Amino acid sequence: MSAGTGVAPSFTWRVAGVTAEPMATVPTLRLSVEIGTAPGADGPVRVHCLVLSVSVRIAAALRDYDPDTRGRLRAVFGTDGQWADSLGDLVWARPTVVVPGFTGGTTVDVPVPCGQDLDLASASYLHAVLDGDVPLRLLFGGTVFHARDGRLATAQLPADSEAHHRMPAARWHELRERYFGGHRWLRLDRETHDRLHDYRVRQACPSPQAAIEELLTKYGT
């Protein structure tokens, strides 16, 4: 019989480390999250299931940046004069994980896809930060199904459920090198792609890259 809704057990959260998913369709990092519960009046709390929503954020304000890195981050935070207002958290991913039942504590892997779309502020940030640590803030939400007074109860995780972790920036760059090597993908809309293709044909460029390099030589840097 169900005891209905109520107050969630008291949880603790800790990110134990970050590893690369060995076999994935897209480049993926796994955040190993240790979940603990404080003992109740009758001993360790039994959690039957936890539907966990995670907001993985880059807490950019929690580290320093040298001048070269600040220059590469202009596309994210603007010029130096704008940083005081623009520097803040960047949402990286919003995965949902179903955590199986446990008593007292458990560990779960939270997957974080690592795409190449530099139009996303999080990807542009990670691309620009070459060394040091990336400060992460994980905000947890969701529904916990747990035992209370011998019956099944449900509750929502409190709004202050969170954990912090400092991930080496090299983790992201190593993963991208493993999947893409020295190549990077450029997303274009159909009209721009067709214009680039037409230019390539007219100029007899052997590849799209050759066409872009020719344009950069003429009009860029």
Side-chain angles (χ1 to χ4, degrees):
M1 182 177 294
S2 172
T5 59
V7 178
S10 179
F11 285 96
T12 60
W13 311 90
R14 175 178 176 269
V15 180
V18 183
T19 58
E21 177 68 46
M23 299 180 65
T25 306
V26 298
T28 302
L29 290 173
R30 297 185 301 188
L31 307 181
S32 180
V33 178
E34 296 177 350
I35 307 171
T37 59
D42 299 326
V45 173
R46 172 61 181 169
V47 174
H48 292 283
C49 179
L50 174 59
V51 181
L52 186 64
S53 300
V54 188
S55 177
V56 182
R57 304 183 177 201
I58 298 170
L62 298 183
R63 63 156 282 173
D64 296 325
Y65 303 92
D66 59 41
D68 288 342
T69 305
R70 292 175 73 94
R72 292 191 297 271
L73 285 170
R74 279 196 297 266
V76 182
F77 300 121
T79 61
D80 286 349
Q82 297 172 306
W83 275 52
D85 297 321
S86 62
L87 188 64
D89 283 9
L90 306 173
V91 178
W92 185 2
R94 298 181 186 273
T96 297
V97 181
V98 178
V99 183
F102 62 92
T103 300
T106 190
T107 301
V108 63
D109 285 339
V110 175
V112 181
C114 302
Q116 292 212 89
D117 188 356
L118 296 185
D119 287 344
L120 299 176
S122 57
S124 186
Y125 175 94
L126 292 164
H127 179 76
V129 176
L130 304 180
D131 51 26
D133 293 335
V134 174
L136 301 180
R137 176 180 288 119
L138 278 66
L139 305 181
F140 302 101
T143 305
V144 54
F145 300 83
H146 63 104
R148 189 179 73 203
D149 300 328
R151 294 184 293 175
L152 178 65
T154 62
Q156 297 297 308
L157 291 176
D160 60 353
S161 302
E162 66 177 80
H164 295 254
H165 183 70
R166 301 190 79 88
M167 179 189 78
R171 288 279 188 279
W172 188 82
H173 293 282
E174 291 166 357
L175 182 66
R176 298 244 298 181
E177 286 298 316
R178 181 191 304 177
Y179 274 79
F180 305 119
H183 296 86
R184 297 293 179 264
W185 296 99
L186 180 65
R187 188 178 69 175
L188 303 174
D189 61 36
R190 182 179 302 172
E191 180 181 355
T192 304
H193 174 273
D194 290 346
R195 289 173 61 197
L196 178 62
H197 178 73
D198 291 343
Y199 178 87
R200 172 192 172 189
V201 171
R202 291 196 311 272
Q203 301 299 319
C205 298
S207 67
Q209 178 169 318
I212 293 173
E213 289 175 346
E214 183 174 298
L215 287 168
L216 288 173
T217 300
K218 287 182 179 179
Y219 305 109
T221 58

